[in-house]
Amino acid sequence: QVQLVESGGGLVQAGGSLRLSCVASGISFTLNTMTWYRQAPGKQRELVARISGTDIVYADFVKGRFAASGDSAKNTVWLQMNNLKPEDTAIYYCNAPPQWTNGRGFNKNYWGQGTQVTVSS
């Protein structure tokens, strides 16, 4: 059973920065793929960034402002968010999608509890 715990959210003024962290536990192997999603009030959950091995893909609305990174040995990922805008206000979730590497993995989507990011204008 994979547990994901996010941290680092908070209240920040527009133009400010925050760094989110997500630690995965409960597994004995290295995760290959981890993703960041967000969900604003009244909106659907949307992909922010996906880290898969050495590849990182960003949603267009965060390109140039957000940077995802990870430490596979620690099963930890980060999301550095710069030049934050009020429209970035949302709950940010860490996700471990179904994945298999060298015969080890799982077929379930795992989610963290989310961390609130609020950007004031």
Side-chain angles (χ1 to χ4, degrees), residues 31-91:
L31 291 171
N32 183 66
T33 301
M34 294 182 75
T35 62
W36 286 100
Y37 281 78
R38 71 184 188 186
Q39 187 166 19
K43 295 188 177 181
Q44 290 188 331
R45 193 170 295 190
E46 58 185 359
L47 178 70
V48 175
R50 180 190 303 272
I51 303 173
S52 186
T54 57
D55 295 328
I56 304 177
V57 176
Y58 297 97
D60 286 343
F61 54 77
V62 302
K63 284 182 180 178
R65 299 189 299 124
F66 290 11
S69 59
D71 184 338
S72 58
K74 298 180 180 179
N75 275 334
T76 299
V77 293
W78 297 275
L79 185 67
Q80 177 67 43
M81 305 185 295
N82 299 322
N83 191 23
L84 283 161
K85 304 176 181 180
E87 51 264 42
D88 293 319
T89 295
I91 299 175

Short mmCIF file of all heavy atoms in Angstrom, two decimals, residues 31-91:
data_model
loop_
_atom_site.label_atom_id
_atom_site.label_comp_id
_atom_site.label_asym_id
_atom_site.label_seq_id
_atom_site.Cartn_x
_atom_site.Cartn_y
_atom_site.Cartn_z
N LEU A 31 9.74 4.30 -7.27
CA LEU A 31 8.68 4.69 -8.20
C LEU A 31 9.29 5.32 -9.44
O LEU A 31 10.20 6.13 -9.34
CB LEU A 31 7.73 5.68 -7.53
CG LEU A 31 6.85 5.12 -6.41
CD1 LEU A 31 6.13 6.25 -5.70
CD2 LEU A 31 5.86 4.12 -6.97
N ASN A 32 8.78 4.94 -10.61
CA ASN A 32 9.27 5.52 -11.85
C ASN A 32 8.50 6.78 -12.22
O ASN A 32 9.09 7.70 -12.79
CB ASN A 32 9.15 4.52 -12.98
CG ASN A 32 9.71 5.06 -14.28
OD1 ASN A 32 10.90 5.30 -14.41
ND2 ASN A 32 8.83 5.29 -15.25
N THR A 33 7.22 6.79 -11.92
CA THR A 33 6.37 7.91 -12.34
C THR A 33 5.61 8.48 -11.15
O THR A 33 4.98 7.73 -10.40
CB THR A 33 5.36 7.46 -13.40
OG1 THR A 33 6.06 6.94 -14.53
CG2 THR A 33 4.50 8.65 -13.85
N MET A 34 5.70 9.78 -11.00
CA MET A 34 4.89 10.50 -10.02
C MET A 34 4.39 11.77 -10.67
O MET A 34 5.08 12.35 -11.52
CB MET A 34 5.69 10.80 -8.75
CG MET A 34 6.07 9.54 -7.97
SD MET A 34 6.97 9.87 -6.44
CE MET A 34 5.64 10.47 -5.40
N THR A 35 3.22 12.18 -10.29
CA THR A 35 2.62 13.35 -10.92
C THR A 35 2.08 14.32 -9.87
O THR A 35 1.81 13.95 -8.74
CB THR A 35 1.47 12.95 -11.85
OG1 THR A 35 0.45 12.31 -11.07
CG2 THR A 35 1.92 11.99 -12.93
N TRP A 36 1.96 15.56 -10.28
CA TRP A 36 1.31 16.61 -9.51
C TRP A 36 0.03 17.01 -10.23
O TRP A 36 0.06 17.27 -11.43
CB TRP A 36 2.20 17.83 -9.34
CG TRP A 36 3.33 17.65 -8.39
CD1 TRP A 36 4.64 17.38 -8.69
CD2 TRP A 36 3.26 17.75 -6.96
NE1 TRP A 36 5.38 17.30 -7.55
CE2 TRP A 36 4.57 17.53 -6.46
CE3 TRP A 36 2.24 18.00 -6.05
CZ2 TRP A 36 4.87 17.56 -5.11
CZ3 TRP A 36 2.54 18.02 -4.70
CH2 TRP A 36 3.84 17.80 -4.24
N TYR A 37 -1.06 17.07 -9.49
CA TYR A 37 -2.33 17.56 -9.99
C TYR A 37 -2.78 18.70 -9.09
O TYR A 37 -2.29 18.87 -7.98
CB TYR A 37 -3.41 16.46 -9.95
CG TYR A 37 -3.35 15.46 -11.07
CD1 TYR A 37 -2.42 14.42 -11.07
CD2 TYR A 37 -4.24 15.54 -12.14
CE1 TYR A 37 -2.38 13.50 -12.09
CE2 TYR A 37 -4.21 14.61 -13.17
CZ TYR A 37 -3.28 13.59 -13.14
OH TYR A 37 -3.24 12.68 -14.16
N ARG A 38 -3.77 19.43 -9.58
CA ARG A 38 -4.38 20.43 -8.73
C ARG A 38 -5.88 20.49 -9.02
O ARG A 38 -6.33 20.13 -10.11
CB ARG A 38 -3.75 21.81 -8.92
CG ARG A 38 -4.07 22.48 -10.25
CD ARG A 38 -3.31 23.79 -10.36
NE ARG A 38 -3.71 24.56 -11.53
CZ ARG A 38 -3.13 25.70 -11.92
NH1 ARG A 38 -2.10 26.20 -11.20
NH2 ARG A 38 -3.56 26.34 -12.98
N GLN A 39 -6.62 20.96 -8.03
CA GLN A 39 -8.06 21.12 -8.21
C GLN A 39 -8.50 22.40 -7.53
O GLN A 39 -8.36 22.55 -6.31
CB GLN A 39 -8.82 19.93 -7.63
CG GLN A 39 -10.31 19.95 -7.93
CD GLN A 39 -10.98 18.62 -7.64
OE1 GLN A 39 -10.46 17.78 -6.92
NE2 GLN A 39 -12.14 18.41 -8.24
N ALA A 40 -9.01 23.30 -8.35
CA ALA A 40 -9.55 24.57 -7.84
C ALA A 40 -11.02 24.38 -7.53
O ALA A 40 -11.68 23.50 -8.08
CB ALA A 40 -9.34 25.66 -8.87
N PRO A 41 -11.58 25.21 -6.66
CA PRO A 41 -13.00 25.10 -6.31
C PRO A 41 -13.89 25.15 -7.54
O PRO A 41 -13.75 26.05 -8.39
CB PRO A 41 -13.23 26.31 -5.41
CG PRO A 41 -11.90 26.60 -4.82
CD PRO A 41 -10.91 26.28 -5.90
N GLY A 42 -14.77 24.20 -7.66
CA GLY A 42 -15.70 24.17 -8.77
C GLY A 42 -15.13 23.72 -10.09
O GLY A 42 -15.82 23.76 -11.12
N LYS A 43 -13.88 23.29 -10.07
CA LYS A 43 -13.23 22.86 -11.32
C LYS A 43 -12.77 21.41 -11.21
O LYS A 43 -12.64 20.86 -10.12
CB LYS A 43 -12.05 23.77 -11.64
CG LYS A 43 -12.45 25.20 -11.95
CD LYS A 43 -11.26 26.00 -12.46
CE LYS A 43 -11.67 27.41 -12.84
NZ LYS A 43 -10.52 28.20 -13.37
N GLN A 44 -12.49 20.82 -12.36
CA GLN A 44 -11.99 19.46 -12.38
C GLN A 44 -10.51 19.42 -12.01
O GLN A 44 -9.78 20.41 -12.18
CB GLN A 44 -12.19 18.84 -13.77
CG GLN A 44 -13.64 18.55 -14.12
CD GLN A 44 -13.77 17.76 -15.41
OE1 GLN A 44 -12.93 17.86 -16.30
NE2 GLN A 44 -14.81 16.96 -15.50
N ARG A 45 -10.11 18.28 -11.49
CA ARG A 45 -8.69 18.09 -11.19
C ARG A 45 -7.91 18.09 -12.50
O ARG A 45 -8.32 17.47 -13.48
CB ARG A 45 -8.50 16.78 -10.43
CG ARG A 45 -7.15 16.61 -9.78
CD ARG A 45 -7.13 15.40 -8.86
NE ARG A 45 -8.05 15.58 -7.73
CZ ARG A 45 -8.08 14.75 -6.69
NH1 ARG A 45 -7.24 13.71 -6.62
NH2 ARG A 45 -8.95 14.96 -5.71
N GLU A 46 -6.77 18.78 -12.51
CA GLU A 46 -5.98 18.88 -13.74
C GLU A 46 -4.52 18.58 -13.47
O GLU A 46 -3.99 18.84 -12.39
CB GLU A 46 -6.12 20.29 -14.36
CG GLU A 46 -5.70 21.43 -13.46
CD GLU A 46 -5.98 22.80 -14.07
OE1 GLU A 46 -6.48 22.88 -15.21
OE2 GLU A 46 -5.67 23.80 -13.39
N LEU A 47 -3.88 18.03 -14.49
CA LEU A 47 -2.46 17.67 -14.39
C LEU A 47 -1.61 18.93 -14.38
O LEU A 47 -1.82 19.84 -15.18
CB LEU A 47 -2.07 16.79 -15.57
CG LEU A 47 -0.61 16.38 -15.65
CD1 LEU A 47 -0.27 15.39 -14.53
CD2 LEU A 47 -0.28 15.76 -17.01
N VAL A 48 -0.64 18.98 -13.48
CA VAL A 48 0.30 20.09 -13.42
C VAL A 48 1.64 19.66 -13.99
O VAL A 48 2.22 20.36 -14.83
CB VAL A 48 0.48 20.58 -11.97
CG1 VAL A 48 1.55 21.66 -11.89
CG2 VAL A 48 -0.85 21.09 -11.40
N ALA A 49 2.15 18.53 -13.53
CA ALA A 49 3.45 18.05 -14.00
C ALA A 49 3.54 16.55 -13.79
O ALA A 49 2.96 16.01 -12.85
CB ALA A 49 4.60 18.75 -13.27
N ARG A 50 4.27 15.91 -14.69
CA ARG A 50 4.48 14.46 -14.59
C ARG A 50 5.96 14.18 -14.68
O ARG A 50 6.61 14.63 -15.63
CB ARG A 50 3.74 13.73 -15.70
CG ARG A 50 3.92 12.21 -15.66
CD ARG A 50 3.38 11.55 -16.91
NE ARG A 50 1.98 11.88 -17.12
CZ ARG A 50 0.96 11.20 -16.60
NH1 ARG A 50 1.20 10.16 -15.85
NH2 ARG A 50 -0.27 11.58 -16.84
N ILE A 51 6.47 13.46 -13.68
CA ILE A 51 7.87 13.04 -13.70
C ILE A 51 7.88 11.55 -13.98
O ILE A 51 7.33 10.76 -13.21
CB ILE A 51 8.56 13.31 -12.35
CG1 ILE A 51 8.47 14.79 -11.98
CG2 ILE A 51 10.00 12.86 -12.38
CD1 ILE A 51 8.98 15.10 -10.59
N SER A 52 8.52 11.16 -15.09
CA SER A 52 8.60 9.75 -15.45
C SER A 52 10.05 9.45 -15.81
O SER A 52 10.50 9.80 -16.90
CB SER A 52 7.66 9.44 -16.60
OG SER A 52 7.64 8.05 -16.88
N GLY A 53 10.75 8.81 -14.90
CA GLY A 53 12.18 8.62 -15.11
C GLY A 53 12.87 9.97 -15.13
O GLY A 53 12.74 10.75 -14.19
N THR A 54 13.54 10.25 -16.23
CA THR A 54 14.21 11.54 -16.38
C THR A 54 13.37 12.53 -17.19
O THR A 54 13.80 13.66 -17.42
CB THR A 54 15.57 11.37 -17.06
OG1 THR A 54 15.37 10.73 -18.32
CG2 THR A 54 16.51 10.52 -16.21
N ASP A 55 12.20 12.12 -17.62
CA ASP A 55 11.33 12.99 -18.41
C ASP A 55 10.37 13.73 -17.50
O ASP A 55 9.76 13.15 -16.61
CB ASP A 55 10.53 12.17 -19.42
CG ASP A 55 11.43 11.53 -20.47
OD1 ASP A 55 12.47 12.13 -20.80
OD2 ASP A 55 11.09 10.43 -20.95
N ILE A 56 10.20 15.01 -17.78
CA ILE A 56 9.25 15.82 -17.03
C ILE A 56 8.38 16.56 -18.03
O ILE A 56 8.90 17.22 -18.94
CB ILE A 56 9.96 16.82 -16.10
CG1 ILE A 56 10.90 16.10 -15.15
CG2 ILE A 56 8.91 17.62 -15.30
CD1 ILE A 56 11.70 17.02 -14.24
N VAL A 57 7.08 16.44 -17.84
CA VAL A 57 6.12 17.11 -18.72
C VAL A 57 5.30 18.07 -17.88
O VAL A 57 4.87 17.73 -16.77
CB VAL A 57 5.20 16.08 -19.41
CG1 VAL A 57 4.14 16.79 -20.23
CG2 VAL A 57 6.03 15.15 -20.28
N TYR A 58 5.09 19.28 -18.40
CA TYR A 58 4.33 20.30 -17.68
C TYR A 58 3.07 20.68 -18.44
O TYR A 58 3.04 20.67 -19.67
CB TYR A 58 5.18 21.57 -17.50
CG TYR A 58 6.41 21.38 -16.67
CD1 TYR A 58 7.65 21.17 -17.26
CD2 TYR A 58 6.35 21.43 -15.27
CE1 TYR A 58 8.80 20.99 -16.50
CE2 TYR A 58 7.49 21.26 -14.50
CZ TYR A 58 8.70 21.04 -15.13
OH TYR A 58 9.83 20.87 -14.36
N ALA A 59 2.06 21.06 -17.69
CA ALA A 59 0.90 21.68 -18.31
C ALA A 59 1.31 23.04 -18.85
O ALA A 59 2.18 23.72 -18.29
CB ALA A 59 -0.22 21.83 -17.28
N ASP A 60 0.67 23.46 -19.93
CA ASP A 60 1.04 24.73 -20.56
C ASP A 60 0.91 25.90 -19.58
O ASP A 60 1.71 26.85 -19.64
CB ASP A 60 0.16 24.99 -21.78
CG ASP A 60 0.54 24.09 -22.94
OD1 ASP A 60 1.65 23.53 -22.93
OD2 ASP A 60 -0.29 23.95 -23.88
N PHE A 61 -0.06 25.84 -18.68
CA PHE A 61 -0.32 26.99 -17.83
C PHE A 61 0.74 27.17 -16.74
O PHE A 61 0.72 28.17 -16.01
CB PHE A 61 -1.72 26.93 -17.22
CG PHE A 61 -2.03 25.66 -16.49
CD1 PHE A 61 -1.54 25.41 -15.21
CD2 PHE A 61 -2.83 24.70 -17.08
CE1 PHE A 61 -1.83 24.24 -14.54
CE2 PHE A 61 -3.13 23.51 -16.43
CZ PHE A 61 -2.63 23.28 -15.15
N VAL A 62 1.69 26.22 -16.59
CA VAL A 62 2.74 26.39 -15.59
C VAL A 62 4.14 26.43 -16.20
O VAL A 62 5.13 26.63 -15.49
CB VAL A 62 2.69 25.30 -14.50
CG1 VAL A 62 1.35 25.31 -13.81
CG2 VAL A 62 3.02 23.92 -15.07
N LYS A 63 4.23 26.24 -17.50
CA LYS A 63 5.54 26.24 -18.15
C LYS A 63 6.26 27.57 -17.91
O LYS A 63 5.69 28.64 -18.09
CB LYS A 63 5.39 25.98 -19.65
CG LYS A 63 5.09 24.53 -19.99
CD LYS A 63 5.00 24.32 -21.50
CE LYS A 63 4.71 22.86 -21.81
NZ LYS A 63 4.56 22.63 -23.29
N GLY A 64 7.52 27.45 -17.52
CA GLY A 64 8.31 28.64 -17.25
C GLY A 64 8.16 29.19 -15.85
O GLY A 64 8.92 30.07 -15.43
N ARG A 65 7.19 28.68 -15.10
CA ARG A 65 6.97 29.17 -13.73
C ARG A 65 7.19 28.07 -12.68
O ARG A 65 7.68 28.35 -11.59
CB ARG A 65 5.55 29.73 -13.59
CG ARG A 65 5.24 30.89 -14.50
CD ARG A 65 3.90 31.53 -14.14
NE ARG A 65 2.78 30.60 -14.28
CZ ARG A 65 1.93 30.30 -13.30
NH1 ARG A 65 2.05 30.86 -12.11
NH2 ARG A 65 0.93 29.46 -13.51
N PHE A 66 6.79 26.86 -13.01
CA PHE A 66 6.90 25.75 -12.07
C PHE A 66 8.02 24.80 -12.54
O PHE A 66 8.24 24.65 -13.75
CB PHE A 66 5.61 24.94 -12.01
CG PHE A 66 4.45 25.66 -11.36
CD1 PHE A 66 4.49 27.00 -11.06
CD2 PHE A 66 3.29 24.95 -11.06
CE1 PHE A 66 3.41 27.65 -10.48
CE2 PHE A 66 2.20 25.57 -10.46
CZ PHE A 66 2.26 26.92 -10.18
N ALA A 67 8.67 24.18 -11.57
CA ALA A 67 9.70 23.20 -11.88
C ALA A 67 9.54 21.99 -10.96
O ALA A 67 9.56 22.13 -9.73
CB ALA A 67 11.09 23.80 -11.72
N ALA A 68 9.37 20.83 -11.57
CA ALA A 68 9.25 19.59 -10.81
C ALA A 68 10.60 18.89 -10.77
O ALA A 68 11.39 18.97 -11.72
CB ALA A 68 8.21 18.68 -11.45
N SER A 69 10.85 18.22 -9.68
CA SER A 69 12.09 17.45 -9.53
C SER A 69 11.84 16.29 -8.59
O SER A 69 10.78 16.22 -7.93
CB SER A 69 13.22 18.34 -9.01
OG SER A 69 12.88 18.89 -7.75
N GLY A 70 12.80 15.39 -8.52
CA GLY A 70 12.61 14.24 -7.66
C GLY A 70 13.90 13.59 -7.23
O GLY A 70 14.94 13.80 -7.86
N ASP A 71 13.81 12.84 -6.16
CA ASP A 71 14.92 12.02 -5.69
C ASP A 71 14.39 10.60 -5.63
O ASP A 71 13.67 10.23 -4.70
CB ASP A 71 15.38 12.50 -4.31
CG ASP A 71 16.59 11.74 -3.80
OD1 ASP A 71 16.83 10.61 -4.27
OD2 ASP A 71 17.29 12.28 -2.93
N SER A 72 14.73 9.80 -6.65
CA SER A 72 14.16 8.47 -6.74
C SER A 72 14.59 7.58 -5.57
O SER A 72 13.83 6.73 -5.13
CB SER A 72 14.56 7.81 -8.07
OG SER A 72 15.96 7.76 -8.19
N ALA A 73 15.78 7.81 -5.06
CA ALA A 73 16.25 6.99 -3.95
C ALA A 73 15.40 7.20 -2.70
O ALA A 73 15.28 6.30 -1.86
CB ALA A 73 17.71 7.32 -3.64
N LYS A 74 14.80 8.37 -2.59
CA LYS A 74 13.97 8.70 -1.44
C LYS A 74 12.48 8.65 -1.77
O LYS A 74 11.65 8.96 -0.91
CB LYS A 74 14.33 10.09 -0.91
CG LYS A 74 15.76 10.21 -0.41
CD LYS A 74 16.03 11.63 0.09
CE LYS A 74 17.46 11.76 0.60
NZ LYS A 74 17.75 13.13 1.08
N ASN A 75 12.15 8.31 -3.03
CA ASN A 75 10.75 8.33 -3.47
C ASN A 75 10.08 9.65 -3.07
O ASN A 75 8.98 9.68 -2.51
CB ASN A 75 9.97 7.14 -2.91
CG ASN A 75 10.13 5.90 -3.79
OD1 ASN A 75 10.38 6.00 -4.99
ND2 ASN A 75 9.98 4.74 -3.18
N THR A 76 10.77 10.72 -3.38
CA THR A 76 10.31 12.05 -3.03
C THR A 76 10.32 12.93 -4.27
O THR A 76 11.26 12.84 -5.09
CB THR A 76 11.20 12.69 -1.96
OG1 THR A 76 11.16 11.88 -0.77
CG2 THR A 76 10.74 14.09 -1.61
N VAL A 77 9.28 13.73 -4.44
CA VAL A 77 9.23 14.70 -5.54
C VAL A 77 8.90 16.07 -4.95
O VAL A 77 8.30 16.17 -3.88
CB VAL A 77 8.21 14.32 -6.62
CG1 VAL A 77 8.64 13.06 -7.35
CG2 VAL A 77 6.81 14.16 -6.04
N TRP A 78 9.32 17.08 -5.69
CA TRP A 78 9.07 18.45 -5.29
C TRP A 78 8.44 19.21 -6.46
O TRP A 78 8.61 18.85 -7.62
CB TRP A 78 10.37 19.14 -4.91
CG TRP A 78 11.06 18.54 -3.73
CD1 TRP A 78 10.84 18.80 -2.41
CD2 TRP A 78 12.09 17.55 -3.76
NE1 TRP A 78 11.67 18.04 -1.62
CE2 TRP A 78 12.45 17.26 -2.43
CE3 TRP A 78 12.76 16.87 -4.79
CZ2 TRP A 78 13.44 16.33 -2.09
CZ3 TRP A 78 13.73 15.94 -4.45
CH2 TRP A 78 14.07 15.68 -3.11
N LEU A 79 7.75 20.27 -6.12
CA LEU A 79 7.21 21.17 -7.13
C LEU A 79 7.54 22.58 -6.68
O LEU A 79 6.95 23.10 -5.72
CB LEU A 79 5.69 20.99 -7.28
CG LEU A 79 5.06 21.82 -8.40
CD1 LEU A 79 5.55 21.32 -9.77
CD2 LEU A 79 3.53 21.73 -8.33
N GLN A 80 8.50 23.18 -7.36
CA GLN A 80 8.87 24.57 -7.09
C GLN A 80 7.96 25.47 -7.92
O GLN A 80 7.93 25.35 -9.15
CB GLN A 80 10.34 24.82 -7.46
CG GLN A 80 10.79 26.26 -7.28
CD GLN A 80 10.80 26.68 -5.82
OE1 GLN A 80 11.25 25.93 -4.96
NE2 GLN A 80 10.33 27.89 -5.54
N MET A 81 7.23 26.31 -7.24
CA MET A 81 6.26 27.16 -7.92
C MET A 81 6.69 28.62 -7.75
O MET A 81 6.73 29.13 -6.62
CB MET A 81 4.86 26.95 -7.33
CG MET A 81 4.43 25.49 -7.35
SD MET A 81 2.72 25.25 -6.80
CE MET A 81 2.86 25.78 -5.09
N ASN A 82 7.01 29.26 -8.86
CA ASN A 82 7.45 30.65 -8.86
C ASN A 82 6.44 31.52 -9.59
O ASN A 82 5.64 31.03 -10.38
CB ASN A 82 8.82 30.76 -9.53
CG ASN A 82 9.88 29.97 -8.82
OD1 ASN A 82 9.93 29.88 -7.59
ND2 ASN A 82 10.78 29.36 -9.60
N ASN A 83 6.53 32.81 -9.35
CA ASN A 83 5.63 33.77 -10.01
C ASN A 83 4.18 33.31 -9.92
O ASN A 83 3.47 33.25 -10.93
CB ASN A 83 6.05 33.97 -11.46
CG ASN A 83 5.34 35.13 -12.12
OD1 ASN A 83 4.86 36.04 -11.44
ND2 ASN A 83 5.26 35.09 -13.45
N LEU A 84 3.76 32.98 -8.73
CA LEU A 84 2.42 32.46 -8.53
C LEU A 84 1.37 33.51 -8.85
O LEU A 84 1.56 34.71 -8.62
CB LEU A 84 2.25 31.95 -7.11
CG LEU A 84 2.90 30.58 -6.85
CD1 LEU A 84 3.12 30.35 -5.36
CD2 LEU A 84 2.05 29.47 -7.44
N LYS A 85 0.25 33.03 -9.38
CA LYS A 85 -0.87 33.89 -9.76
C LYS A 85 -2.11 33.48 -8.97
O LYS A 85 -2.21 32.32 -8.54
CB LYS A 85 -1.14 33.73 -11.25
CG LYS A 85 0.05 34.01 -12.15
CD LYS A 85 -0.28 33.74 -13.60
CE LYS A 85 0.93 33.98 -14.51
NZ LYS A 85 0.61 33.71 -15.93
N PRO A 86 -3.06 34.39 -8.80
CA PRO A 86 -4.29 34.02 -8.08
C PRO A 86 -4.97 32.79 -8.68
O PRO A 86 -5.56 31.99 -7.94
CB PRO A 86 -5.14 35.28 -8.22
CG PRO A 86 -4.16 36.39 -8.29
CD PRO A 86 -3.01 35.83 -9.10
N GLU A 87 -4.87 32.62 -9.98
CA GLU A 87 -5.51 31.47 -10.62
C GLU A 87 -4.79 30.15 -10.33
O GLU A 87 -5.27 29.08 -10.70
CB GLU A 87 -5.63 31.67 -12.14
CG GLU A 87 -4.33 32.06 -12.83
CD GLU A 87 -4.21 33.58 -13.03
OE1 GLU A 87 -4.57 34.34 -12.08
OE2 GLU A 87 -3.76 33.98 -14.11
N ASP A 88 -3.65 30.21 -9.65
CA ASP A 88 -2.97 29.00 -9.21
C ASP A 88 -3.55 28.48 -7.90
O ASP A 88 -3.17 27.40 -7.43
CB ASP A 88 -1.47 29.25 -9.03
CG ASP A 88 -0.75 29.54 -10.33
OD1 ASP A 88 -1.06 28.86 -11.34
OD2 ASP A 88 0.11 30.43 -10.34
N THR A 89 -4.45 29.24 -7.30
CA THR A 89 -5.08 28.82 -6.06
C THR A 89 -5.83 27.51 -6.26
O THR A 89 -6.70 27.41 -7.14
CB THR A 89 -6.04 29.90 -5.55
OG1 THR A 89 -5.29 31.07 -5.20
CG2 THR A 89 -6.81 29.42 -4.32
N ALA A 90 -5.48 26.50 -5.47
CA ALA A 90 -6.07 25.17 -5.62
C ALA A 90 -5.52 24.26 -4.53
O ALA A 90 -4.57 24.63 -3.81
CB ALA A 90 -5.73 24.58 -6.99
N ILE A 91 -6.10 23.09 -4.45
CA ILE A 91 -5.49 22.02 -3.65
C ILE A 91 -4.59 21.25 -4.59
O ILE A 91 -5.02 20.83 -5.68
CB ILE A 91 -6.54 21.09 -3.02
CG1 ILE A 91 -7.46 21.89 -2.09
CG2 ILE A 91 -5.85 19.97 -2.25
CD1 ILE A 91 -8.60 21.08 -1.52
#
